[in-house]
Amino acid sequence: MGNCLVAQSGGPTAVINASLAGVIRANQLNPVYGRVLGGIHGIEGVLAGRLFDLTDLPAREIEVLKQTPSSALGTCRYKLKRGNDADYRRLVEVMDAHDVDVMFYIGGNDSMDTVDALSEWAAANGCAKRFVGIPKTVDNDLVPVDHCPGFPSAAKLANLVTHATRLDYDAYERPEVFVLETMGRDAGWLAASCCVSGDVDLLLLPEAPFDRDAFLAQVQRKMDETGACYIVVSEGARYADGTYLAADDTANDGFAHAVLGGAALTLKQMIVDAGIAPRGVVQDLSRAARSSNFAQSLVDMTEAYELGLSAHMRSADPAFTGMVVGVAPRADLDAPYEARFFAGPAGEFANYVRQLPAEWILPDYQGVSDEALRYFAPLIEGEPKLVYEHGLPATVVPFNRR
Amino acid sequence: MGNCLVAQSGGPTAVINASLAGVIRANQLNPVYGRVLGGIHGIEGVLAGRLFDLTDLPAREIEVLKQTPSSALGTCRYKLKRGNDADYRRLVEVMDAHDVDVMFYIGGNDSMDTVDALSEWAAANGCAKRFVGIPKTVDNDLVPVDHCPGFPSAAKLANLVTHATRLDYDAYERPEVFVLETMGRDAGWLAASCCVSGDVDLLLLPEAPFDRDAFLAQVQRKMDETGACYIVVSEGARYADGTYLAADDTANDGFAHAVLGGAALTLKQMIVDAGIAPRGVVQDLSRAARSSNFAQSLVDMTEAYELGLSAHMRSADPAFTGMVVGVAPRADLDAPYEARFFAGPAGEFANYVRQLPAEWILPDYQGVSDEALRYFAPLIEGEPKLVYEHGLPATVVPFNRR
């Protein structure tokens, strides 16, 4: 066989590099491909022919790569549009020029759509190139999986911050509300996961329409009953008519998504204006949550690495294309946690947004059900033993900056 | 001897409970005092007679207390004003009622002023009660010490987040600025410490007056030269006339300090409005930085604990009052780091704000000198071995919530 290509796309995570490390390591254990080439800045860099040879990355550097957050190859938000024959032909040209047979694409649901579209196009055009997806997203919104690599570590950090800031908040007696904002545009997985800490009084999700009066009544009730109200809000929380609690319409992220942020500030002001508390504290997790290397979940890092191994190993089958590897949904949330790996058609992963099951969401912003907690709890278990240098976890120099 | 009392005041830190643990443990090793009583919610709770008996806290709970962030006794912002005889007499009344001879007060410079004022008042009024201070503050702004317990852990978390978010930022090629905001009202220690990570392009401190044009010119230069500009700003950054980059004048914290926040947002908007970058990302560390239990510095936790031990041990001397324990300034920043403990009069700790030395601050917002880095670097070294439960570090139930 010839060479393989691996690239990363979309928002970075704490463990997306562990999947990259898995692909590289698998080929050292079984050199199915002559070279493992990294595409710099996702499909955008690949189209420009920017590649980095990862084949012989030393074992120690692979270990450090596993614990390096963010996308070590660089990322992009460029989407290969279906029907854009010019881009597709250019990609195949680059693959041909470097003798690449298989491309691994590590990304979210837009990237899984790219894998689907490319494999369809290849089949329709008699092109033997193959395309394999490895999922990642802190949003946890892919459909056919139990969860997405990247989400458990984000959830672990969110729980760590929830618990620590709740203790900080509880040290005071003064009347005050606390509002923590997490990522989560269309699905509230990350915000909901914070309930594992046991510290959340009220939870606002994109899945549960926001009603100002009903919400303020709950805040008032919590303040009356306990003198405190700790609120977690997903950035995508919205009114029934779809209006976000906060949105900056002047900016977008290149995919024509609105850039969100500020829901927590909006809520704090709403509560103060209503006279329920004279002040409030806002903590926005935004970027700090998704690429932390100081709060990786061992479950997450292990699975992300093993999904990289699995994708490489399955790709030895010459019929394996247009497929994505993943962790299968658990049959029984009460059984001891055990990841079961599978591969499915990329089309099933792409462009659907999996929301939190409606039956997991308690009424009146009261958080999530016990079943939901049993889903979340095992994912944040375990801490990898990190290599530290001078008081900080060691990281590799990103390949896009070499 | 009779009993002792220990209380916490001011903003919580990641290791303020380690100092509390030190006092409790010291008395188990050498029961100088019959009982160790915790004052709930600082001086405010003590005046109200709210005490919690900590004498026989089990060793395992003391270990978990050491790793529990925030103030486990609760805190307050109530300041005993000099000359407020009524409060002083009430405090002595409570101490008498519980046979308390010595009070340990763990807090920032307002609290050290309280220790000073109480010991002066006792001397002037023939009262044998004694008062001992144990410093803490993430702001690191006490005068006669090398650094304050709490600061190294906040600096470690700030560096972890700086490095992780820099990697996240560097994964993209699009023109964008990143602005990280840290605590630090009148002194930029925490913001400056972020330079240890090696990731900071521009640094804005309260100590270096903000000049809009000069700053924007530096942002433009960094963007032109490297395509990136990662900025760290202290919440207290201000113009030459003292105007904060961002201040909410509608709220204050009870000490008539303005409540700050939003400097990073202001900068981002300034850069976008100037047309230097079409967008920017803001991360506010605020509360997440000061009470984290997932990024404690081992140096910090050890010193905070040992200062608690030291305060208790020194207090066996019946002449020991109006004193504060601390880590003495290093004579030589190039020598291997070694904490040297001392005790000094509380008046020397109180009400002065130690700013970053002017000679450590590089011109044009370029960060700090090598000497500054040699000061900061050893403080963030080492990671305590934490006890985890269900994926999160174990914490004690705060005594003010029992």
Side-chain angles (χ1 to χ4, degrees), chain B residues 317-341:
Chain B
D317 173 356
F320 194 74
T321 186
M323 299 290 277
V324 176
V325 294
V327 174
R330 277 168 273 174
D332 177 6
L333 292 177
D334 289 320
Y337 179 78
E338 184 72 32
R340 194 169 57 78
F341 297 95

Side-chain angles (χ1 to χ4, degrees), chain A residues 59-74:
Chain A
R60 191 198 132 92
E61 200 168 347
I62 292 177
E63 280 308 301
V64 174
L65 177 61
K66 281 166 74 174
Q67 70 174 43
T68 301
S70 185
S71 304
L73 289 167

Side-chain angles (χ1 to χ4, degrees), chain A residues 228-242:
Chain A
C229 188
Y230 188 104
I231 301 158
V232 173
V233 59
S234 187
E235 60 174 344
R238 61 192 75 167
Y239 291 90
D241 69 0

Side-chain angles (χ1 to χ4, degrees), chain B residues 238-263:
Chain B
R238 61 194 73 168
Y239 290 90
D241 70 0
T243 311
Y244 290 110
L245 277 174
D248 176 358
D249 290 332
T250 61
N252 70 67
D253 64 1
F255 273 61
H257 301 141
V259 172
L260 302 181

Side-chain angles (χ1 to χ4, degrees), chain A residues 10-13 41 44 50 68-77 156-157 159-161 163-174 176 178 196-197 226 228 248 251-254 259 265 268-269 278-279 281-295 377 380-383 388-396 398 400-401, chain B residues 10-13 41 44 50 68-77 156-157 159-161 163-174 176 178 196-197 226 228 248 251-254 259 265 268-269 278-279 281-295 377 380-383 388-396 398 400-401:
Chain A
T13 80
H41 289 296
E44 224 173 327
R50 292 177 65 188
T68 301
S70 185
S71 304
L73 289 167
T75 187
C76 70
R77 285 211 163 267
K156 183 168 186 129
L157 182 74
N159 273 278
L160 286 164
V161 172
H163 191 50
T165 54
R166 175 80 210 212
L167 285 169
D168 189 302
Y169 173 59
D170 277 348
Y172 292 91
E173 279 203 301
R174 62 191 180 200
E176 182 176 75
F178 194 104
V196 171
S197 67
T226 66
D248 175 357
N252 70 68
D253 65 359
V259 171
L265 270 172
K268 179 199 112 169
Q269 204 50 49
R279 49 179 283 164
V281 180
V282 162
Q283 177 71 56
D284 183 2
L285 270 186
S286 85
R287 288 294 175 93
R290 77 177 185 189
S291 293
S292 85
N293 51 348
F294 44 97
I380 68 168
E381 286 276 352
E383 298 72 44
Y388 275 81
E389 279 171 5
H390 307 302
L392 300 176
T395 56
V396 302
N400 64 322
R401 303 277 160 180
Chain B
T13 79
H41 289 297
E44 223 173 329
R50 293 178 65 188
T68 301
S70 186
S71 305
L73 288 168
T75 188
C76 71
R77 285 210 163 267
K156 184 168 183 128
L157 182 74
N159 272 279
L160 286 164
V161 172
H163 190 52
T165 54
R166 174 82 210 212
L167 285 169
D168 188 303
Y169 174 59
D170 278 348
Y172 292 91
E173 279 203 302
R174 61 192 181 198
E176 184 175 73
F178 194 104
V196 171
S197 68
T226 66
D248 176 358
N252 70 67
D253 64 1
V259 172
L265 270 171
K268 180 198 112 168
Q269 203 51 52
R279 51 179 282 163
V281 180
V282 162
Q283 177 70 56
D284 184 1
L285 270 186
S286 87
R287 289 294 176 93
R290 75 177 186 189
S291 294
S292 85
N293 53 348
F294 44 95
I380 67 169
E381 285 277 350
E383 298 72 44
Y388 275 80
E389 279 172 5
H390 306 302
L392 300 176
T395 55
V396 303
N400 65 324
R401 304 276 159 181

Side-chain angles (χ1 to χ4, degrees), chain B residues 78-98:
Chain B
Y78 187 77
K79 186 169 171 174
L80 278 187
K81 290 208 178 58
R82 280 174 193 274
N84 184 343
D85 257 36
D87 271 0
Y88 287 19
R89 289 187 195 286
R90 171 69 193 140
L91 175 62
V92 170
E93 223 174 87
V94 173
M95 290 172 80
D96 271 339
H98 295 88

Side-chain angles (χ1 to χ4, degrees), chain B residues 24-92:
Chain B
I24 300 168
R25 191 61 176 162
N27 203 63
Q28 293 178 351
L29 301 177
N30 183 23
V32 169
Y33 305 102
R35 313 305 300 167
V36 177
L37 303 173
I40 299 297
H41 289 297
I43 213 74
E44 223 173 329
V46 173
L47 290 175
R50 293 178 65 188
L51 305 179
F52 188 97
D53 193 331
L54 300 162
T55 318
D56 301 316
L57 205 67
R60 191 199 132 91
E61 200 167 348
I62 292 178
E63 281 306 302
V64 174
L65 177 60
K66 282 167 73 173
Q67 71 173 43
T68 301
S70 186
S71 305
L73 288 168
T75 188
C76 71
R77 285 210 163 267
Y78 187 77
K79 186 169 171 174
L80 278 187
K81 290 208 178 58
R82 280 174 193 274
N84 184 343
D85 257 36
D87 271 0
Y88 287 19
R89 289 187 195 286
R90 171 69 193 140
L91 175 62
V92 170

